[in-house]
Each structure stands twice: as structure tokens, then as C-alpha cells.
Amino acid sequence: MATRTDAPTRREQILKEAARLFAERGFHGVGVDEIGAAVGISGPGLYRHFAGKDAMLAELLVGISESLLTGAKRRLAEAGVAGAAGAARVDGAADAADGVVPEAVLDSLIEGHIDFALDDRPLITLHDRELDRLRDADRKLVRQLQRQYVELWVGVVRRLYPDLGEPAARSAVHSVFGLLNSTPHLTRPGSLPDRAGTAELLHRMARGAFAAASGA
């Protein structure tokens, strides 16, 4: 979502403004007319794109989970890691043989999540506050996508730190997500450096957390 460079479609504009407004005032605190006004169309005009607010919320939360998972898979593929099974191999000799550099792969995953944490802050707030409002099927899909995303990270972390057990690696991944996803709470003026500085700081902290978990 945050990595697109082409002009957003009308549907994407609606979703972006809906996410911002839902995050600022809560799902029930925002009307369809307000979302429409934010993108320059009438409230009823939104129904040409979405069945209603519930549909917008579902697309936002399912969409970001899909985007994170797809992005992580792409980064693994670019690094030469063959899917989740490949990410889960804890074998330094295999890494040397296939040219995979686990440290670089983990750095790439961290960079991707930092881009999300810095560029899609309203979605983090929305997930924390409104996930339970989704229909059961949509909520289960979000959880399923999130589990797959976590497991990709766990595999990469264990390739870099082979002595770290799977439960500990999973706990470390969740802890790092908590760290990176804290960005919506850091909104006081001057509380963060510029974007590049913030990204660098978050990256160092994430790598430090994994190293600490491994005892390195």
C-alpha cells in the first residue's frame, strides 16, 4: 500500500480517507457523508464503490494483512529464500550453498515493516481498535494472514540465530512488531527525528531486540 508510486484510484482514495477518519474519531464516529466529502464526492456516491462502512473496514484490515504478507514473500524470493519452508531451514551450510545471507534477509523484512509502520499509521490504530467489528469470516482471514506473516519472520530469525528455539523466536517477532507498531503513539511534535532518522532508529532497535533474545 505505502510502496505504490502511481496515482491512487478513487477506491484507494476513499479507503485512505476512511482509514484516517476511523483512526481519528472511531468507526462509529464517522459517517459516510464525511468520508465522501473528504474525497470530493457525495456520501451516496460511495455506494458505487463500497456496500458501506463495514465493507471499507474489512477491505482496509484484510488488505493491509495481505499486503504485508505479499511484501514479505517478495522480499524472501528476491533474497533467494524458497518460501516459508526455505525460510524455516536452520542450516548455515545450506545458507552458504544457496547464497542466502540471513542477516540481509532479516534487514529487508524489518525495512518493509518499518515502511508500513511509518506510512500507514492510521491502519495500525484501526487494527488495534476495530478488528473485533469485522465479520467472523473477515476477522479469521486477518488472523490467518497474520500468522503466515509471523511464521515467515520466525523462519528468517532462526536462520540467523539457529540456537534460538521456535517459541522464543516467535515471541521475539511479536515483541518487535509491538515496537515497530508503536509509531501512532509517537505523535508529539519533536518526539521523533525525520523519517530517515526514525527508520534507522527503529531498525537498530529491532535488530537489537532479536540479538538480545538470542543472547548474542
Side-chain angles (χ1 to χ4, degrees):
M1 296 180 70
T3 58
R4 287 181 59 102
T5 57
D6 50 326
T9 65
R10 174 65 80 183
R11 187 180 183 88
E12 289 169 336
Q13 291 173 344
I14 293 169
L15 287 173
K16 180 179 180 180
E17 291 305 315
R20 179 182 64 82
L21 290 168
F22 291 159
E24 288 178 357
R25 303 215 305 271
F27 181 74
H28 287 305
V30 179
V32 171
D33 289 342
E34 294 171 276
I35 298 172
V39 294
I41 62 177
S42 67
L46 288 180
Y47 292 106
R48 292 196 297 269
H49 302 276
F50 297 96
K53 289 198 307 175
D54 288 335
M56 294 180 208
L57 181 63
E59 186 155 336
L60 284 165
L61 295 183
V62 173
I64 192 55
S65 295
E66 289 176 336
S67 179
L68 285 169
L69 179 59
T70 298
K73 288 180 176 179
R74 174 180 55 79
R75 288 170 181 271
L76 292 182
E78 290 172 351
V81 179
R89 287 186 321 186
V90 184
D91 187 339
D95 289 335
D98 60 21
V100 172
V101 182
E103 185 171 4
V105 180
L106 181 57
D107 282 337
S108 181
L109 288 179
I110 292 172
E111 288 166 6
H113 199 100
I114 287 173
D115 284 342
F116 159 65
L118 292 178
D119 298 334
D120 290 310
R121 299 185 199 188
L123 289 176
I124 298 174
T125 300
L126 200 59
H127 177 276
D128 289 346
R129 292 179 182 172
E130 312 290 358
L131 180 62
D132 287 344
R133 298 191 188 280
L134 294 183
R135 297 181 308 165
D136 286 346
D138 289 327
R139 188 169 59 253
K140 288 177 182 178
L141 178 56
V142 169
R143 294 301 192 194
Q144 178 184 11
L145 294 166
Q146 290 174 340
R147 284 194 296 270
Q148 293 177 47
Y149 182 58
V150 168
E151 293 311 307
L152 288 180
W153 277 68
V154 169
V156 171
V157 169
R158 295 195 68 221
R159 287 186 77 152
L160 182 57
Y161 302 108
D163 293 334
L164 188 62
E166 187 173 312
R170 189 171 294 108
S171 294
V173 168
H174 282 292
S175 296
V176 167
F177 287 172
L179 165 69
L180 300 182
N181 292 346
S182 68
T183 53
H185 306 293
L186 304 175
T187 55
R188 182 172 57 83
S191 62
L192 290 174
D194 60 21
R195 191 191 188 286
T198 300
E200 181 181 357
L201 174 62
L202 290 172
H203 199 122
R204 288 201 312 269
M205 294 175 71
R207 284 300 304 271
F210 285 127
S214 71

